[in-house]
Amino acid sequence: MRTLDTSTLVFDIDGTICFDGRTIADRIRSALARCIEAGYHLVFASARPIRDLLPVLGPGFETATLIGGNGSLISTDGVVRARASFDPSTFAALLELSNRFQAGYLADGPWDYAYTGPDGHPIRGRVDQGLLARQVQVAELPEVVKFLALGASDMHALAAAGRELGVTVNHHLDEGIIDFAPGSTTKWEALRAAGITRYIAFGNDLNDIELLGNATRAIRVGAHPSLDDVAHTTVGADPESVAREIEGIADSVLL
């Protein structure tokens, strides 16, 4: 039997193992199940809040660790807690910036959310798919762990202004979204705080740079150029290619 030097696998969700915004293909699910059989601990680390991870993952991953909000939320043994949130003055400044640049927004609390963007925006269809939470006014959220600005009049200027506030900014040009997270919160920072420093990671986008850059083995899904310098392996952005790569990791232990 040949074993790898790490027993934790970390997966981004959207664009990495979920390609329609709603489901994980059965082919990938089977490959993930083989990794559990091989003794791997699975971690799913996403920009989504925990609330929006659960319907996509579905049953079968009850022992997995879930990291949401790009590191601002964590769920272990089914218990969700906020790891980081915006301080009131910083969040007030973000709201002022969204008004100045005429942006709608999605503000996530630990569970519930506030939304002012258009009903037809693609992100709206990925929010609370399982009808697990409440849409409330932003003032009703006990704390805000993630803030998405949608359709600003000047996306680049809004992103730059957000960085001046000292928050983490991920600018998704292809979706017309700017993702703000508290302080220096990242998926990698959340993993490290949880005591996970050796792992194999799958990711596809700008917000996976630190996740892949600190991995024992880093697998890029697709061809995002921001990951050129951190990926050890690149696979196609489709269920078959991703499933084969996951199965190869499981087989290196099972065979």
Side-chain angles (χ1 to χ4, degrees):
M1 175 186 294
R2 182 169 66 88
T3 60
L4 296 174
D5 62 354
T6 181
S7 60
T8 299
L9 298 178
V10 184
F11 297 92
D12 172 53
I13 299 294
D14 291 289
T16 298
I17 59 172
C18 173
F19 297 99
D20 63 2
R22 293 181 175 274
T23 59
I24 297 172
D26 289 343
R27 183 80 172 82
I28 294 179
R29 286 185 175 278
S30 296
L32 294 172
R34 290 183 68 173
C35 288
I36 294 173
E37 179 186 353
Y40 283 102
H41 173 61
L42 303 190
V43 178
F44 298 97
S46 175
R48 295 181 184 235
I50 302 298
R51 171 200 70 228
D52 294 342
L53 277 177
L54 296 174
V56 175
L57 291 174
F61 304 108
E62 289 79 7
T63 62
T65 297
L66 309 181
I67 293 171
N70 281 330
S72 60
L73 295 164
I74 190 165
S75 175
T76 54
D77 298 323
V79 178
V80 179
R81 64 180 178 88
R83 292 193 56 262
S85 61
F86 294 104
D87 66 77
S89 62
T90 300
F91 185 63
L94 278 175
L95 286 177
E96 191 280 326
L97 287 174
S98 70
N99 288 331
R100 186 194 311 172
F101 291 100
Q102 301 175 323
Y105 63 77
L106 168 65
D108 278 307
W111 195 255
D112 296 325
Y113 65 97
Y115 183 79
T116 68
D119 289 339
H121 195 283
I123 197 68
R124 188 66 184 91
R126 300 202 296 267
V127 175
D128 196 25
Q129 296 174 24
L131 302 178
L132 302 174
R134 296 180 305 141
Q135 181 176 342
V136 300
Q137 297 298 312
V138 69
E140 297 178 66
L141 296 173
E143 53 189 332
V144 177
V145 301
K146 180 180 169 66
F147 187 81
L148 295 183
L150 316 170
S153 58
D154 188 332
M155 299 291 280
H156 291 284
L158 176 53
R163 290 187 184 96
E164 291 180 1
L165 296 176
V167 301
T168 299
V169 180
N170 288 298
H171 192 173
H172 301 279
L173 291 172
D174 54 338
E175 297 182 79
I177 292 171
I178 305 173
D179 185 341
F180 299 97
S184 60
T185 303
T186 66
K187 297 172 185 178
W188 156 242
E189 189 267 340
L191 282 174
R192 184 174 55 186
I196 300 171
T197 58
R198 296 187 64 79
Y199 58 90
I200 298 168
F202 286 70
N204 79 306
D205 205 347
L206 182 65
N207 61 13
D208 296 317
I209 287 180
E210 287 195 356
L211 176 67
L212 269 62
N214 288 284
T216 302
R217 180 179 173 195
I219 298 99
R220 172 175 58 178
V221 177
H224 201 293
S226 66
L227 304 180
D228 283 348
D229 294 333
V230 296
H232 301 130
T233 303
T234 295
V235 300
D238 62 88
E240 180 63 29
S241 298
V242 173
R244 282 200 305 267
E245 187 69 21
I246 297 171
E247 287 171 344
I249 294 170
D251 289 346
S252 68
V253 175
L254 289 173
L255 294 179

